[in-house]
Amino acid sequence: MRLFEIVSHERIAPAVFRLSLYAPLIASHAQTGQFVVIIPSPKGERIPLTINQADPSSGFVTVVYQVVGKTTHLLSTMKEKDVLFSVLGPLGKPSHVEKTDKMVVLVSGGLGAAIILPEMYAFRKVGSPVVSVIGARTESLLLFREEFEKYSDTVLIATNDGSCGVKGFVTDALRDYLEKASSQVALVKAIGPNRMMEAVSRLTSSYGIRTYVSLTSIMVDGTGMCGSCRVSIHGEIKHVCVDGPEFLADGIDFGELEHRNTRFQRLEKEAFASCACYPDDK
Ligand SMILES: Cc1cc2nc3c(=O)[nH]c(=O)nc-3n(C[C@H](O)[C@H](O)[C@H](O)COP(=O)(O)OP(=O)(O)OC[C@H]3O[C@@H](n4cnc5c(N)ncnc54)[C@H](O)[C@@H]3O)c2cc1C
Ligand code: FES
């Protein structure tokens, strides 16, 4: 098997793919919460993707990604036995996992479910009880529901259209839960769009609950050199790629982060619109 060869690639939901590749060194060093930076083809850009699974015995590393623009689209056109141009990792700090008798509440929206899933396994492994709060626009878009139901002590669901669970957002399901059980909660983790993580942290801060979020910012090198991924926390500059991606939510300037994430939006839209060039690009 060749280094960075794709060993499996499947669509698991509309626009969401699971991809496994052969990267034995990354597989043997990866820890929960870390990510890789992938360049699919020599003409492609670098994209950070969280390690969903790493199996040191086979050397396989799995990522789950959503097609949102040019490079994720390019990745989605690649097939088993294709070889990725470059994969760098594992990057970032491992996320915080602790043993507690109180509840660990894991909140994820949309694709965030794929990123929070390894955290659920990690907390279970150390013996901490887990409440998973998952949300999506509609029931058919809930990712990894079976896994959450199998391994969490409690699963709370929110859908925007009310097709499953609470009608509304994950924050609505979380609010209902905290109203009844906030004293039983050790910590909350939220992974999803930055706006969703901001809303979760605003809610949990009113209860004084320690809250972690995994930030997504636009990255270039992924190793702390370019400054692209910077974020202000209590007025201090941090780099998501080397200081994170997980941070305590308190003091994060989410507004600035969101503003910085939209700085290439026009170019990104134009690039996505020109995706017809992909067969030649490979
Ligand atoms: C540490 C980290 C881990 C990530 N893990 C995953 C993952 O496991 N699965 C997954 O699908 N995505 C993940 N992302 C987001 C992923 O990197 C972007 O979706 C991807 O870079 C988009 O590339 P593109 O060329 O397809 O789209 P682009 O044309 O670059 O962007 C399309 C849209 O996505 C937004 N965007 C692009 N890059 C980012 C980013 N880094 N953070 C937030 N918004 C962005 C743009 O503002 C734009 O609105 C992660 C990001 C970070 C920083
Ligand atoms: S991506 Fe360059 S400093 Fe973080």
Side-chain angles (χ1 to χ4, degrees), residues 44-139:
E45 279 185 334
R46 310 160 67 85
I47 54 165
L49 296 175
T50 305
I51 297 169
N52 178 264
Q53 275 177 47
D55 178 3
S57 58
S58 62
F60 296 168
V61 171
T62 302
V63 292
V64 175
Y65 67 93
Q66 184 165 21
V67 174
V68 293
K70 180 172 175 175
T71 307
T72 44
H73 174 80
L74 170 58
L75 194 56
S76 73
T77 65
M78 299 184 77
K79 301 185 174 48
E80 274 178 35
K81 298 200 185 307
D82 283 348
V83 174
L84 298 169
F85 177 65
S86 161
V87 183
L88 175 69
L91 300 172
K93 289 190 172 155
S95 47
H96 173 82
V97 177
E98 69 182 44
K99 163 85 180 99
T100 169
D101 295 329
K102 287 186 158 191
M103 289 297 173
V104 171
V105 183
L106 303 178
V107 187
S108 61
L111 188 88
I115 301 177
I116 217 161
L117 200 63
E119 311 255 343
M120 180 189 69
Y121 294 131
F123 277 103
R124 290 310 310 239
K125 200 171 170 188
V126 297
S128 300
V130 171
V131 176
S132 292
V133 185
I134 55 175
R137 284 203 313 278
T138 188
E139 183 172 13

Side-chain angles (χ1 to χ4, degrees), residues 218-229 239 241:
I218 293 179
M219 292 188 180
V220 181
D221 62 306
T223 60
M225 289 186 287
C226 71
S228 170
C229 66
H239 293 93
C241 65

